Amino acid sequence: MPSREDITYFGAGPALLPTDVLNTAAAALVDYNGTGLGLAEHSHRSELATGIVNKAKADLATYLDVPDDYEILFMQAGGSGEFSATVYNLVGVWVERRKQKILKELGIKTEKDIPEDELVKQLQKAVDEELKIDYLVTGSWSLKASQEATRLVGAEHVNIVADARKVNDGKFGKIPEESSWKLSKNPAMVYYCDNETVDGVEFPGFPELLKPNGEEGEPIVVADMSSNILSRRILVKNFSVIFFGAQKNLGSTGITVVIIKKNLLPPVVATPSPTLLRKLGLPIGPIVLSYETIAKNNSLYNTLSIFDVFIAGQVLQKSLKSFPDKVDGQQAVAEKKAKLIYAALDAHPESYKVVPDKSARSRMNICFRVTHLANIDDAEKLFLKGAVEKGLTGLKGHRSVGGIRASNYNSIPLSGAEKLAEYINEFTKTHR
């Protein structure tokens, strides 16, 4: 049986974790800091747990240069849970802001000065005619996000800004030109997935069309960065909400991180009452997906997995020690690894086909097909078998699309990328 040192695991998630972090976590699981109890046994209400949460938040803010007017939340339910949470929370923000606009237009100071039925009538008209949630559909995850919004609020309130399949023969693999995007006027949010793990598509940078337009809080941009967070520099102030599951670049499965602008939380903006939302026919989210509730309780409203936060914190501490220039240093390594692997694939066009267009190639999830045999399935089985023999594992593509996928997350060492590039070159020579 191979040892941990014998393999490089390119799985898409849960992903490889640094061995030294796992060794530290393993010891903490048995006895944390000489307390006689393992970390998973300590109360999430303890001072110890609060310290772990606060340290991880501070280190994440340092590593990414998160401004002071943002809050960091540790939540549960994964990125898929955030497909729902963003709808629940930001539709609520939209309703509250629209209510305040109605009161201002009527010259009324507070909602107590207008009959409730009249206010509900005005709001209902606004919801029916104006409420939109915008989605850029560039891959499997953004498609699922838009489908969840449709399930929660109805297709009439969901606007597909762009669908990449329409510019790529019915398949994902490109990002439509911004000139073709059809944004709504003042949507509750504009969502996009910065990196699509299934389809190997990554935005090369922040979209020009979504940059702040000078009006306070506009547009409200939500980004799913589950699979490329911590791998490159981002300008946090361009976003209203960033969310990501921990299990790619940050830690282990079990926690989801939300970075949210504080002007989307009380006391800056109130949360509509459940009674009002019911009257408007809008969904009311579970309280554990309420950003207000999680923020008020410093991420400890319910039993958070402190052990998983600890692992994430250890990864952040290691990253800060490894890269004095913070995320910029990690970005340089990520790009070097990706270039090595893509260069090997591009050198043999007769044997490999990179799936996404060159303009949208992901640095994190390198998706390709092995084409040098008449039967692609046979060629890919042969490729995968040879890869495992060399200690290169986790390369099988997502079940929905097949092919090969090398997930080049932060914990993949440069030597691992070099080994894969060497194998790509070797395979095409030995299997003609």
Side-chain angles (χ1 to χ4, degrees):
M1 296 292 288
S3 68
R4 185 175 181 86
E5 291 72 27
D6 294 330
I7 66 169
T8 303
Y9 178 64
F10 289 93
L16 186 72
L17 281 163
T19 300
D20 55 348
V21 167
L22 289 178
N23 286 333
T24 299
L29 190 58
V30 177
D31 186 342
Y32 181 69
N33 281 3
T35 60
L37 286 177
L39 187 50
E41 298 165 307
H42 279 276
S43 170
H44 69 295
R45 301 289 185 204
S46 65
E47 184 177 335
L48 176 153
T50 300
I52 290 172
V53 168
N54 289 342
K55 173 64 173 168
K57 286 169 62 174
D59 286 344
L60 179 60
T62 297
Y63 192 66
L64 289 179
D65 289 326
V66 178
D68 291 339
D69 58 341
Y70 284 76
E71 182 62 71
I72 295 173
L73 313 175
F74 289 108
M75 299 180 67
Q76 296 168 69
S80 295
E82 289 304 312
F83 295 164
S84 306
T86 50
V87 173
Y88 292 134
N89 287 276
L90 296 179
V91 165
V93 170
W94 186 92
V95 167
E96 182 61 29
R97 287 180 171 177
R98 195 65 185 85
K99 181 175 74 176
Q100 295 304 320
K101 184 178 179 181
I102 289 170
L103 294 175
K104 185 176 180 180
E105 289 170 347
L106 295 174
I108 297 172
K109 290 185 177 181
T110 70
E111 58 186 283
K112 294 179 181 179
D113 299 323
I114 182 175
E116 183 181 7
D117 289 348
E118 178 60 26
L119 180 57
V120 171
K121 180 181 176 181
Q122 294 265 11
L123 269 173
Q124 187 68 68
K125 185 174 185 295
V127 167
D128 293 343
E129 295 178 359
E130 302 171 31
L131 176 60
K132 292 291 182 184
I133 312 175
D134 282 6
Y135 286 85
L136 283 158
V137 177
T138 55
S140 300
W141 293 112
S142 50
L143 176 62
K144 286 186 177 182
S146 69
Q147 290 170 337
E148 176 66 356
T150 299
R151 187 182 74 87
L152 292 175
V153 298
E156 67 273 20
H157 296 302
V158 175
N159 172 48
I160 304 301
V161 174
D163 187 334
R165 294 169 295 183
K166 293 182 179 179
V167 298
N168 196 45
D169 298 324
K171 296 180 179 180
F172 293 121
K174 288 184 178 180
I175 296 173
E177 293 289 336
E178 291 189 33
S179 59
S180 70
W181 296 4
K182 294 178 172 57
L183 292 164
S184 301
K185 182 180 180 181
N186 299 322
M189 69 179 190
V190 183
Y191 163 99
Y192 77 98
C193 182
D194 205 39
N195 183 75
E196 295 276 5
T197 58
V198 173
D199 308 283
V201 170
E202 184 176 27
F203 279 76
F206 188 80
E208 287 291 325
L209 206 57
L210 300 184
K211 288 187 174 178
N213 61 19
E215 297 180 30
E216 186 178 357
E218 300 295 343
I220 294 179
V221 178
V222 173
D224 177 353
M225 294 189 178
S226 289
S227 51
N228 66 348
I229 195 69
L230 309 184
S231 73
R232 68 178 180 185
R233 168 71 58 184
I234 57 173
L235 190 61
V236 175
K237 69 178 183 180
N238 281 337
F239 303 90
S240 297
V241 178
I242 299 169
F243 70 80
F244 47 97
Q247 68 274 14
K248 314 289 188 181
N249 280 334
L250 180 61
S252 54
T253 304
I255 55 170
T256 311
V257 182
V258 175
I259 303 173
I260 180 170
K261 201 166 180 61
K262 289 178 180 177
N263 68 6
L264 296 175
L265 296 168
V268 180
V269 61
T271 300
S273 70
T275 300
L276 176 59
L277 292 174
R278 272 193 292 270
K279 288 181 178 179
L280 296 173
L282 293 172
I284 302 162
I287 197 164
V288 292
L289 293 184
S290 162
Y291 295 154
E292 175 189 2
T293 299
I294 302 304
K296 278 183 177 178
N297 291 276
N298 193 30
S299 299
L300 297 170
Y301 171 76
N302 59 326
T303 310
L304 183 68
S305 175
I306 297 301
F307 182 65
D308 292 318
V309 178
F310 174 77
I311 292 176
Q314 291 298 304
V315 170
L316 287 166
Q317 289 177 42
K318 178 180 175 66
S319 296
L320 286 167
K321 289 177 183 176
S322 301
F323 302 107
D325 50 354
K326 299 182 288 191
V327 73
D328 296 313
Q330 182 65 72
Q331 178 173 338
V333 175
E335 290 175 353
K336 185 174 183 178
K337 292 187 296 175
K339 285 177 182 177
L340 274 171
I341 299 169
Y342 279 122
L345 294 169
D346 290 339
H348 305 286
E350 74 287 352
S351 298
Y352 306 106
K353 181 184 185 309
V354 177
V355 174
D357 187 75
K358 202 165 188 176
S359 64
R361 286 180 177 181
S362 169
R363 301 161 306 121
M364 295 287 101
N365 305 101
I366 298 166
C367 298
F368 60 97
R369 305 307 300 258
V370 183
T371 60
H372 78 299
L373 296 181
N375 188 309
I376 291 179
D377 288 340
D378 287 345
E380 291 176 346
K381 286 178 183 177
L382 197 62
F383 181 92
L384 290 169
K385 182 175 182 294
V388 170
E389 290 171 355
K390 290 187 174 294
L392 305 169
T393 64
L395 287 165
K396 189 174 182 180
H398 192 273
R399 63 187 180 279
S400 65
V401 295
I404 311 296
R405 174 174 55 175
S407 293
N408 177 40
Y409 297 133
N410 290 351
S411 56
I412 298 292
L414 179 59
S415 60
E418 290 170 341
K419 282 177 64 177
L420 178 57
E422 289 170 7
Y423 175 62
I424 288 169
N425 287 320
E426 176 188 313
F427 181 84
T428 192
K429 294 173 183 177
T430 56
H431 296 87
R432 294 187 184 279

